[in-house]
Amino acid sequence: MVRKELFKSLIALSQAELPFERIEREIELPVQPELIITVPGVRRAGKSSLLMLAVNKLLTSGIKRERILWVNFDDERLDGMSTEELDEVLQAYREMYPEIELKDVYMFFDEIQNIDGWDLFVLRVFKSYCQHIYVTGSNAKLLSSEISTALRGWTLDYEMLPLSYQEFCRFKGIDVLSYLESDKAKRYAAMEEYIHGGGFPKVVLASEKSMKLRLLQGYFNTMLFRDLAERHEIKNIEALRYFLKRVMHNLTKTTSINAIVNDMRSNGVSVSKDDLYNWADWAVEAYLFVRYPKYSRSLVKENQSLRKYYVIDTGMRQAVLMPQSEDKGKLLENIVALELFRRRGADRKMFYWQDGRECDFVVQREEHVEELIQVTWDIEDEDTRKREIDGIKEAAKGTKCDKLTIVTREQKETIEEDGFNIEVVGIEEWLTREE
């Protein structure tokens, strides 16, 4: 009974806020879906805002606010809630609006993944009562490829990540297409901020640097405690924190879990190899990291290879590690890694190349490698230039790929060498190209 009254309050409060004030994103949700819409993604990336934009579209189309049922389950008053209690959401709404049939309601369940068995509840509601259901969650388990057996085939997912560069400029009010010198200068400054500060929406809109740092550190701590420690019952919080920071520090390099285990043990920290492998998997599930394996035609070798880990937001890494050295080249590579992750689809996979020499990214579509990408701040230094060119040429020979790209901060040229054409392009042009 207490829960039901709370749900009535939550539904009424959300309806009173309508329409929501939100900035448009590149992703747009369907308003007449034929499947359950799931929006997985990292915390604070704008999953709720994406649902709010869908609500606004519904209101514009003539749907009355009374037909919007919105519940945010990321509320401490709902901690410990059981699957059986979820039915009280429907009971609360029916008592509020007995004249509205559930089939005419649009249901938005925000951060529902914290409740075990939520999927069975959602599927039952979808099959029996309402076919307008939207679900968000800070966990990759909501992806259709990872979702529970019960929901498989019943969902359509729209993954939410921090702002892309074009979205970042939209939030800043900057025209990415303008040729005016004044706008070019604004874009240059915006790119510097994007590379070093990342793309969490609230952080981007914050005006003070101290506020940005506090927000980013808070996001990390929330993921550490709620998405990892509490969810997976990890007791050794400081060991977990140290591990995550070690992975962050290792940006652009392959990460050896065994090496980190040995290092932690030598410092008197009691952890097992299995612990760290689990922590790494769970951190990826929570969208703290994305990771890429080594390219190999052998699936066994691919699975056995060391992974490269990239942080979901460059600003978060800077706020957590407070690095004293200049990491701009690493941050630039992280920006490209995240953009490739954003662009991937069901038919596209990402790897790195390492066979004597290295190439940062191998982009495979279906069975064929469609592009090789190196990332470096610039290629003015002769040793750097040679290393990047030799690495991408070796990968081209090994993959039979002829689309070769070197992404830099702003250099642009075409390199012809040993029968290979290599395009050198600035990061802004690369990020704003039509695919």
Side-chain angles (χ1 to χ4, degrees):
M1 185 65 69
V2 175
R3 291 270 200 222
K4 187 163 64 175
E5 293 307 310
L6 175 57
F7 284 132
K8 288 180 182 180
S9 175
L10 293 174
I11 294 168
L13 283 171
S14 64
Q15 290 176 343
E17 291 183 49
L18 303 179
F20 299 110
E21 291 187 14
R22 288 294 182 272
I23 300 174
E24 294 290 333
R25 298 290 297 269
E26 290 175 346
I27 299 174
E28 188 173 312
L29 300 181
V31 293
Q32 296 295 337
E34 297 179 357
L35 294 170
I36 299 165
I37 301 299
T38 59
V39 185
V42 66
R43 284 181 181 272
R44 309 308 179 205
K47 300 184 299 297
S48 301
S49 293
L50 196 63
L51 264 60
M52 291 174 182
L53 290 168
V55 169
N56 289 349
K57 284 176 62 179
L58 288 168
L59 296 175
T60 302
S61 70
I63 299 298
K64 301 296 183 184
R65 69 178 62 201
E66 292 79 12
R67 289 169 60 186
I68 304 298
L69 191 168
W70 180 296
V71 177
N72 181 0
F73 290 91
D74 195 16
D75 187 315
E76 79 282 356
R77 294 170 295 180
L78 299 178
D79 284 350
M81 185 174 171
S82 67
T83 312
E84 292 73 23
E85 292 176 292
L86 281 170
D87 207 54
E88 293 188 34
V89 175
L90 304 185
Q91 294 173 25
Y93 184 85
R94 281 169 164 153
E95 289 181 14
M96 293 174 71
Y97 303 105
E99 74 283 0
I100 300 177
E101 293 187 45
L102 288 182
K103 68 179 181 64
D104 296 323
V105 177
Y106 291 81
M107 300 183 182
F108 296 83
F109 300 133
D110 201 7
E111 296 292 351
I112 197 174
Q113 89 285 346
N114 294 320
I115 301 172
D116 290 333
W118 66 268
D119 49 342
L120 296 175
F121 166 76
V122 168
L123 185 59
R124 176 171 62 84
V125 173
F126 182 80
K127 287 183 173 181
S128 304
Y129 304 111
C130 173
Q131 296 196 343
H132 314 122
I133 300 180
Y134 300 76
V135 177
T136 76
S138 302
N139 194 299
K141 292 295 185 183
L142 264 75
L143 286 170
S144 58
S145 58
E146 301 290 337
I147 209 157
S148 71
T149 304
L151 279 180
R152 198 157 293 159
W154 293 94
T155 66
L156 187 62
D157 54 72
Y158 292 79
E159 197 172 29
M160 202 64 178
L161 303 175
L163 301 176
S164 69
Y165 173 66
Q166 296 199 60
E167 289 176 324
F168 177 91
C169 288
R170 183 180 301 154
F171 272 57
K172 290 284 189 179
I174 297 172
D175 186 350
V176 296
L177 300 176
S178 172
Y179 291 99
L180 294 175
E181 290 300 320
S182 58
D183 287 331
K184 289 181 182 179
K186 289 178 182 177
R187 289 201 300 272
Y188 186 90
M191 180 59 73
E192 288 294 303
E193 183 180 346
Y194 184 65
I195 291 170
H196 291 86
F200 280 110
K202 193 170 183 178
V203 176
V204 170
L205 295 175
S207 57
E208 297 180 8
K209 185 176 181 180
S210 60
M211 176 58 74
K212 293 176 185 284
L213 286 173
R214 284 199 296 271
L215 286 170
L216 289 166
Q217 290 166 355
Y219 294 171
F220 174 76
N221 286 327
T222 300
M223 296 175 75
L224 172 72
F225 287 104
R226 298 206 63 177
D227 297 333
L228 297 174
E230 291 179 15
R231 182 171 181 80
H232 299 289
E233 300 180 345
I234 301 171
K235 305 302 181 186
N236 196 339
I237 303 298
E238 289 312 307
L240 174 61
R241 185 190 299 274
Y242 176 81
F243 170 72
L244 297 176
K245 292 173 76 170
R246 271 293 302 271
V247 176
M248 284 186 175
H249 182 76
N250 212 39
L251 195 65
T252 75
K253 301 175 184 177
T254 56
T255 294
S256 169
I257 300 296
N258 288 342
I260 299 178
V261 169
N262 293 334
D263 173 60
M264 294 175 74
R265 286 176 178 170
S266 69
N267 285 292
V269 181
S270 178
V271 291
S272 71
K273 189 190 304 182
D274 288 342
D275 285 338
L276 265 59
Y277 275 110
N278 284 333
W279 294 357
D281 288 343
W282 294 335
V284 170
E285 285 179 6
Y287 287 94
L288 180 55
F289 299 115
V290 299
R291 62 184 172 191
Y292 295 140
K294 178 181 175 180
Y295 175 82
S296 174
R297 288 189 173 89
S298 165
L299 184 60
V300 173
K301 289 182 179 180
E302 175 191 320
N303 289 333
Q304 292 175 343
S305 68
L306 296 178
R307 265 49 176 174
K308 278 190 175 184
Y309 288 78
Y310 295 94
V311 188
I312 198 64
D313 184 80
T314 53
M316 177 184 285
R317 178 184 186 270
Q318 299 302 91
V320 170
L321 295 185
M322 295 286 191
Q324 296 181 359
S325 60
E326 179 62 83
D327 281 348
K328 60 184 182 182
K330 292 182 178 181
L331 298 180
L332 189 68
E333 185 174 327
N334 202 106
I335 293 293
V336 173
L338 291 178
E339 185 63 25
L340 290 173
F341 185 76
R342 183 181 284 110
R343 293 176 181 179
R344 82 197 191 290
D347 62 345
R348 187 181 278 174
K349 296 174 66 177
M350 313 301 170
F351 307 88
Y352 67 89
W353 172 274
Q354 191 176 61
D355 188 12
R357 296 185 174 90
E358 295 185 13
C359 181
D360 296 323
F361 300 104
V362 178
V363 182
Q364 178 179 313
R365 188 185 289 273
E366 296 179 348
E367 297 87 12
H368 307 289
V369 173
E370 68 172 5
E371 186 174 10
L372 300 170
I373 301 173
Q374 292 277 51
V375 184
T376 182
W377 193 259
D378 61 55
I379 52 172
E380 293 177 357
D381 177 76
E382 282 302 318
D383 289 340
T384 301
R385 185 182 182 92
K386 184 177 188 310
R387 182 184 68 242
E388 302 299 329
I389 293 173
D390 287 350
I392 203 168
K393 285 195 306 182
E394 182 187 83
K397 292 173 185 176
T399 60
K400 304 295 188 279
C401 177
D402 59 6
K403 185 178 182 182
L404 316 181
T405 306
I406 298 178
V407 179
T408 67
R409 175 60 181 91
E410 55 181 338
Q411 284 177 270
K412 183 178 177 65
E413 65 173 292
T414 300
I415 298 171
E416 296 182 3
E417 189 170 307
D418 297 334
F420 295 102
N421 289 319
I422 306 171
E423 181 188 18
V424 181
V425 61
I427 184 66
E428 182 184 352
E429 180 181 340
W430 186 80
L431 287 173
T432 54
R433 280 179 174 174
E434 293 288 336
E435 284 196 73

